[in-house]
Amino acid sequence: MSTFVIGDVHGRREQLRRLVEMLPRDPSTDPLVLLGDLIDRCEDVPGTVKDAIALHASATEGGAPVIVLRGNHEQMLLDFIDEGKTIWLHAAVGSHQTFEQYTGRELWAETEQEIEAARHEIAAAVPAHHIEFFRSLPLYHEDEYAIYVHAGVEPDKHPRDSTPHQLLWSRSPEFFKHYHGKPCVFGHTPTPLLPLLGRIGRHGIYISHSAIGIDTGYIETSPLSCLQLPDFMLYQTFADGRTATHHITTFIPEPLRAFR
């Protein structure tokens, strides 16, 4: 059995489709985990969500599950719809792409009235089953190989004992550099922003002790990446149609070396 883990998608529907198609995954035995952040920033958010829902639903009874985790971008959208929290509207979030693709108009919200109007408009435009899907997403997953979270875990705590904020938002240098124990695969922080030492020779992902980062970025030249455990095969698709496959053989966390 293998587990296949995909990093932050951010609306890259075509790259996600091609990535899933290239995986040597047996749906009857091999779980598939998506680390969250399906929405914002890129060209087809509604289609990406639709495909993620279909993938999740494709897991048959008795077969391997497809687990989609909640990312901080899904949480920001829910917080905007439910409570009017405006962090989702910040330009750096990339919410204008999601808003425009669901509503059919550009996002413009500066005054309180405009913000409230945008809140009601996006709540009405996103299909109800997309919203319910976001609400249903777990904050972590665990199997025999690893722990899977969107952002990170608190020191010396299992994800079940960590706060939702930590699991969704953490960017702790302590976690990145010094996490030991059961391997933890995470997204959220693009690997070009992680410590250099863990990135050298890793084909865009990050490995330091037992912390494994696979959010390989979301700009036009960034790959969307999937890591196969425990084999440490890395599969990548690019916006220009290229694909890449790498077998990572060094700096594998000790627990995963034991499986291999």
Side-chain angles (χ1 to χ4, degrees), residues 36-66:
D37 280 5
L38 302 174
I39 69 171
D40 299 337
R41 293 185 172 146
C42 292
E43 66 276 357
D44 191 353
V45 169
T48 297
V49 176
K50 179 180 178 181
D51 288 354
I53 292 173
L55 278 170
H56 183 263
S58 71
T60 59
E61 185 176 353
V66 176

Side-chain angles (χ1 to χ4, degrees), residues 125-146:
V126 178
H129 68 286
H130 287 202
I131 295 293
E132 291 311 309
F133 181 65
F134 298 152
R135 295 192 194 283
S136 74
L137 300 180
L139 298 182
Y140 75 92
H141 178 66
E142 182 177 8
D143 64 16
E144 59 185 314
Y145 302 132

Side-chain angles (χ1 to χ4, degrees), residues 146-215:
I147 295 167
Y148 310 91
V149 298
H150 178 64
V153 294
E154 294 181 66
D156 303 318
K157 285 188 177 181
H158 190 276
R160 65 174 168 266
D161 302 315
S162 296
T163 65
H165 187 273
Q166 183 80 16
L167 300 175
L168 290 169
W169 286 95
S170 171
R171 282 186 168 142
S172 166
E174 181 69 20
F175 169 71
F176 297 149
K177 295 179 180 180
H178 304 298
Y179 172 78
H180 289 77
K182 188 167 187 176
C184 182
V185 186
F186 66 96
H188 182 57
T189 302
T191 52
L193 303 181
L194 291 171
L196 177 62
L197 187 60
R199 294 187 276 123
I200 295 175
R202 303 277 74 80
H203 304 290
I205 70 169
Y206 175 85
I207 306 170
S208 179
H209 304 298
S210 290
I212 306 164
I214 64 167
D215 176 3

Side-chain angles (χ1 to χ4, degrees), residues 12 15 42-43 217-223 237-240 242:
R12 292 173 290 177
Q15 279 177 261
C42 292
E43 66 276 357
Y218 52 83
I219 63 174
E220 187 176 346
T221 57
S222 299
T237 56
F238 295 80
D240 63 6
R242 289 182 298 122

Side-chain angles (χ1 to χ4, degrees), residues 95-97 99-101 103-109 118 121:
S95 54
H96 64 283
Q97 296 274 27
F99 187 91
E100 183 174 347
Q101 290 164 24
T103 67
R105 77 165 181 92
E106 292 185 7
L107 175 60
W108 186 263
E121 190 169 0

Side-chain angles (χ1 to χ4, degrees), residues 232-254:
F232 262 77
M233 293 296 299
L234 179 66
Y235 307 90
Q236 297 178 317
T237 56
F238 295 80
D240 63 6
R242 289 182 298 122
T243 63
T245 303
H246 307 283
H247 188 196
I248 298 172
T249 59
T250 57
F251 298 103
I252 308 302
E254 179 61 38

